[in-house]
Amino acid sequence: EQDFSSNIGFTQILNDYFPVLPDKPVSVGDTWSDTRTLHVPFGGMNLNITLVTEYRLDDILPSKDGPTAFITTTYKAQVHGRTLEGGAGIFEGTGGGTGFLHYLTEKGTFSGYQTAFSVQASFSVKQGETVLLNWPFSFDSFSLITLNSLGD
């Protein structure tokens, strides 16, 4: 029997990773950033992922759906966690990546959104400051959302 009640749902993933638009007008070449900390239950521990996203408006060009803002993204990720109840297991890692957004300025919607980042991490078991076991690994995240059509 499996309890899936603690699994992260699709809606939470969209909320956690969905892009942030600037809170004031920007010009081509301007940047803005967003920092989020995601809390993820994973294998008997609570992982905290701090994701810093830097956005840059590269251009606004005409398209069949109206003016489209082309925005590039750069990600930096830091992951840390500890087994529950003060356990000796420690999860640590860092990484980063890139992505892009295509935003239809007149319609107020995204027509394309892509993220790709990789984190190099390790799970260690420590006794005091002594590392008893260490398992290095990496994990990758890739998402692509494309709006196929805007019906009027």
Side-chain angles (χ1 to χ4, degrees), residues 48-131:
N48 295 303
I49 303 170
T50 302
L51 187 61
V52 178
T53 307
E54 172 112 358
Y55 300 89
R56 181 180 189 277
L57 176 58
D58 291 322
D59 212 343
I60 299 175
L61 298 172
S63 74
K64 66 180 177 78
D65 292 316
T68 302
F70 291 84
I71 301 165
T72 53
T73 56
T74 304
Y75 303 95
K76 292 180 184 174
Q78 183 174 20
V79 182
H80 60 279
R82 180 177 286 278
T83 50
L84 300 176
E85 299 175 16
I90 298 171
F91 185 95
E92 299 173 301
T94 60
T98 61
F100 68 81
L101 311 170
H102 296 162
Y103 183 75
L104 302 173
T105 59
E106 290 180 350
K107 298 184 179 189
T109 188
F110 294 97
S111 63
Y113 172 45
Q114 176 180 306
T115 65
F117 65 89
S118 179
V119 173
Q120 310 311 308
S122 68
F123 178 76
S124 302
V125 177
K126 293 183 177 182
Q127 183 176 30
E129 293 300 313
T130 304
V131 176

Side-chain angles (χ1 to χ4, degrees), residues 33-52:
S33 63
D34 177 54
T35 300
R36 299 178 191 197
T37 300
L38 315 175
H39 305 284
V40 181
F42 177 76
M45 66 174 54
N46 287 319
L47 294 180
N48 295 303
I49 303 170
T50 302
L51 187 61
V52 178

